[in-house]
Amino acid sequence: MTTENLNIPPVALGTWAWGDSGETGDGYFGSSLTQAGLEEVADKAHAAGFTLWDTAVVYGMGRSETVLGGVLTRFDRSAYQLSTKFTPQVAGEGDDPVADMLDQSLARLGTDYIDLYWIHSPADVAWWTPHLIPLLKSGKVRHVGVSNHNLGEIELADRILGEAGFRVEAVQNHYSLLYRSSEQAGILDHCRKEGIQFFAYMVLEQGALSGKYSPENPLPEGTNRAQAYNGILPQLKALTNKLAAIGAKQGAAASDVAIAWAIAKGTTPLIGVTRPGYIDGLARAISIRLSGDEIAELEALADAARVNTCGWWEKEMRV
Ligand SMILES: NC(=O)c1ccc[n+]([C@@H]2O[C@H](COP(=O)([O-])OP(=O)(O)OC[C@H]3O[C@@H](n4cnc5c(N)ncnc54)[C@H](OP(=O)(O)O)[C@@H]3O)[C@@H](O)[C@H]2O)c1
């Protein structure tokens, strides 16, 4: 009963930062976004063929979805795909909190369907997963995936959906050079074997691996990402220097190489896009080919940094 295959571009676009107020010191990112800047991001992205947009209710508690919905009014609905999430941890008290949260997302995004709908973080997998089935049947949701689930939880969700003729079509987990928990836990292999698309989030570690930030130029003070990363920037220097050196040989930037690494590992990177120029980076990243030696060197430097970038909302995937 699965609907037609999900059309997945080589890189998907993340909008967590779009939920910030825009004021440094008042959000996760402090990226100072403007409406005109985000419209330019969207125009450039669509012109380059990047049309899958990821958001979530909890990114600015509705603000990311509202801003994204507003920016995308410039395009025909068939020109882009929307990915948003049900977050069990903020479920309401109604008869069907999943259907309710979806309806609120649809209203904020200005649409009547979501291409890819996720359970954001596992709570009670056996309880929440079946709630997706009527949404798939109604067509309000075209495809479903699970995020931050470990291997056992992915398999359980897949079994539950399978009994109704559907399946887990995508997995979305933190995966970067610095955080390879999903690979070590066999989730990447499982996805490859089962034909499940693996979306890698925080490939750039919220900017810490972009080459833009360093101990001399740290992440914006007062933000959550500054708190998470500024203390470890000195340990990341050798890795970001190597990313930049590999990039320089191909006319690319450090961030492009970090994204190319995630593509080389068979994932679809989900990159937080805050500035129009970053779309040029995505276009470069998809044409970079890394050798086996370069991949091994990057991973060795990442391991040598000895940092743990597991987010506060995440759990280690190795069981
Ligand atoms: N399912 C989940 O639990 C979960 C959790 C986290 C994220 N996500 C999703 O994954 C997306 C990506 O994660 P993220 O946004 O947290 O982090 P990310 O993609 O690792 O990093 C995004 C930041 O990196 C910088 N950046 C992006 N492209 C760049 C480029 N080409 N060159 C230089 N710097 C660049 C920007 O910083 P500046 O703005 O400072 O320039 C941007 O804010 C999110 O937006 C969200 O959609 C999902």
Side-chain angles (χ1 to χ4, degrees), residues 254-277:
S255 50
D256 308 336
V257 178
I259 297 167
W261 168 84
I263 295 172
K265 303 289 284 196
T267 76
T268 302
L270 173 46
I271 305 300
V273 283
T274 49
R275 298 178 206 288

Side-chain angles (χ1 to χ4, degrees), residues 303-315:
D303 293 342
R306 300 182 72 78
V307 295
N308 183 357
T309 57
C310 185
W312 56 263
W313 62 93
E314 298 169 356
K315 59 182 180 199

Side-chain angles (χ1 to χ4, degrees), residues 115-145:
D115 299 272
L116 182 51
Y117 198 56
W118 308 84
I119 303 274
H120 198 164
S121 284
D124 180 341
V125 175
W127 171 254
W128 290 115
T129 310
H131 287 74
L132 295 172
I133 295 166
L135 306 179
L136 281 158
K137 285 183 174 161
S138 74
K140 281 187 177 180
V141 162
R142 300 280 164 92
H143 305 270
V144 294

Side-chain angles (χ1 to χ4, degrees), residues 229-278:
Y229 294 100
N230 279 350
I232 60 169
L233 290 175
Q235 285 143 271
L236 306 186
K237 201 94 202 221
L239 175 59
T240 50
N241 284 348
K242 187 68 184 176
L243 288 166
I246 293 174
K249 286 192 285 181
Q250 307 201 35
S255 50
D256 308 336
V257 178
I259 297 167
W261 168 84
I263 295 172
K265 303 289 284 196
T267 76
T268 302
L270 173 46
I271 305 300
V273 283
T274 49
R275 298 178 206 288
Y278 294 168

Side-chain angles (χ1 to χ4, degrees), residues 177-197:
L177 273 158
L178 295 177
Y179 194 74
R180 308 205 293 278
S181 183
S182 284
E183 183 175 6
Q184 290 145 356
I187 295 174
L188 258 61
D189 280 345
H190 175 79
C191 288
R192 199 172 299 121
K193 210 167 72 219
E194 298 297 324
I196 298 171
Q197 196 64 33

